[in-house]
């Protein structure tokens, strides 16, 4: 009732803009979790989202969204958790905290929710992010759809347009490139089975999770190198509540001395009534050194009214070493 009253008040205050709308929604969590050291702690989180939209007299749609979280507001406050878009017959242009072309086109290996994202933060989880976030964090993406096909192009600056370059801290001593991407998706209904295909390419600043000696360090050593990534994914939503996806990305550095690698992710999901289950597996394969793999699982039970019981588990959670650093959580998620 409070949400309806607040939204109505905002609309009344903007009566001169007939097509404008502001909506407020919220989300909260409560429960317990166990970190990689085995320590159990209480967990609570609250988020508020403001979504604003409007339409011009000529039919141009525009809008913005900001997510307010106690850990989601950076010092400059204009990127993380904030997006702005315009949309029309020409397609859609989005800027801010959004996906680049690789992440837009390629399916990640995640589904459902857990309190501390245990099932989607293990070391080899396939997030499909490509090179996103390795520039200044502000992405601009253009997309359009033609029948079952859609495509997108994206860009992310390395230095936020300040002309600083990326040579400071670079291993090769050259400026880190801006990040450019292109992606294509195909979605089709094949007699009750929905097929989702994705293909994408991004180039620019690239951090690798492996040292040149083949040691997995989560990207702590190989930073500010230029390179590219080619991604491919296939997913299917089957009858009786089953769905699955398989995704692959090939990362390469321009500097031949660096340790190139590939990343593969598998996801399996099953929904029946109020119960939803999810399993994912990821493996990273460097040219030099041993493979690194890990997995996660989540279970959600919908109580109705916006409340969901959530449990999650992730193996090998530590980003600098691998082996038996598991993490789990259980609790209640509430949408308002």
């Amino acid at each position: 009732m409070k949400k309806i009253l607040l939204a109505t008040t905002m609309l009344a205050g903007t009566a001169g803009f007939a097509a404008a709308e502001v909506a407020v929604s919220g989300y909260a969590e409560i429960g317990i979790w166990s970190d990689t050291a085995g320590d159990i702690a209480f967990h609570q989180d609250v988020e508020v989202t403001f979504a604003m939209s409007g339409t011009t007299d000529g039919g141009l749609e525009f809008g913005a969204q900001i997510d307010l979280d106690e850990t989601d507001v950076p010092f400059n406050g204009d990127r993380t958790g904030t997006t702005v878009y315009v949309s029309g017959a020409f397609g859609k242009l989005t800027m801010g905290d959004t996906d680049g072309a690789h992440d837009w086109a390629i399916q990640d290996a995640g589904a459902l929710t857990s309190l501390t994202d245990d099932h989607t933060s293990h070391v080899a989880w396939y997030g499909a992010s490509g090179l996103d976030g390795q520039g200044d964090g502000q992405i601009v993406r253009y997309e359009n759809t033609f029948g079952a096909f859609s495509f997108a192009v994206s860009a992310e600056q390395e230095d936020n347009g300040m002309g600083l370059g990326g040579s400071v801290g670079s291993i090769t001593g050259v400026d880190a490139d801006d990040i450019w991407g292109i992606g294509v998706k195909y979605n089709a209904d094949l007699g009750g089975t929905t097929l989702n295909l994705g293909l994408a390419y991004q180039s620019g600043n690239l951090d690798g999770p492996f040292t040149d000696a083949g040691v997995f360090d989560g990207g702590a050593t190989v930073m500010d190198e230029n390179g590219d990534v080619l991604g491919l994914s296939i997913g299917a939503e089957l009858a009786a509540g089953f769905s699955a996806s398989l995704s692959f990305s090939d990362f390469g550095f321009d500097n031949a001395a660096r340790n190139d690698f590939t990343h593969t992710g598998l996801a399996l999901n099953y929904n029946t009534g109020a119960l939803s289950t999810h399993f994912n597996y990821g493996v990273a394969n460097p040219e030099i050194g041993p493979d690194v793999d890990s997995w996660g699982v989540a279970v959600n039970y919908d109580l109705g009214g916006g409340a969901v019981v959530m449990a999650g588990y992730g193996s090998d959670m530590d980003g600098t070493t691998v082996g038996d650093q598991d993490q789990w959580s259980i609790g209640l998620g509430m949408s308002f």
Side-chain angles (χ1 to χ4, degrees), residues 291-302:
D291 299 344
V292 173
D293 66 339
S294 57
W295 58 275
V297 63
V299 178
N300 287 182
Y301 188 84
D302 191 348

Side-chain angles (χ1 to χ4, degrees), residues 177-204:
D177 290 341
D178 294 334
I179 299 168
W180 298 88
I182 183 170
V184 181
K185 292 194 292 189
Y186 174 77
N187 305 101
D189 187 350
L190 306 178
T193 296
T194 301
L195 178 67
N196 305 304
L197 303 177
L199 177 66
Y201 173 82
Q202 274 188 317
S203 67

Side-chain angles (χ1 to χ4, degrees), residues 45-113:
D45 185 35
V46 177
E47 298 180 14
V48 178
T49 300
F50 293 86
M52 300 164 280
S53 62
T55 307
T56 68
D57 293 341
L60 179 69
E61 299 178 2
F62 55 91
Q65 180 172 306
I66 180 169
D67 298 326
L68 301 182
D69 187 287
E70 60 269 32
T71 61
D72 200 29
V73 181
F75 292 123
N76 53 4
D78 64 348
R79 298 190 299 272
T80 304
T82 305
T83 56
V84 182
Y85 72 88
V86 290
S87 178
F90 65 90
K92 184 177 182 180
L93 185 70
T94 306
M95 182 180 295
D97 185 15
T98 190
D99 295 335
H102 186 280
D103 203 354
W104 174 87
I106 306 301
Q107 290 187 248
D108 65 37
L112 305 185
T113 307

Side-chain angles (χ1 to χ4, degrees), residues 272-284:
T272 176
L275 180 66
S276 300
T277 59
H278 165 75
F279 169 83
N280 70 73
Y281 171 79
V283 57

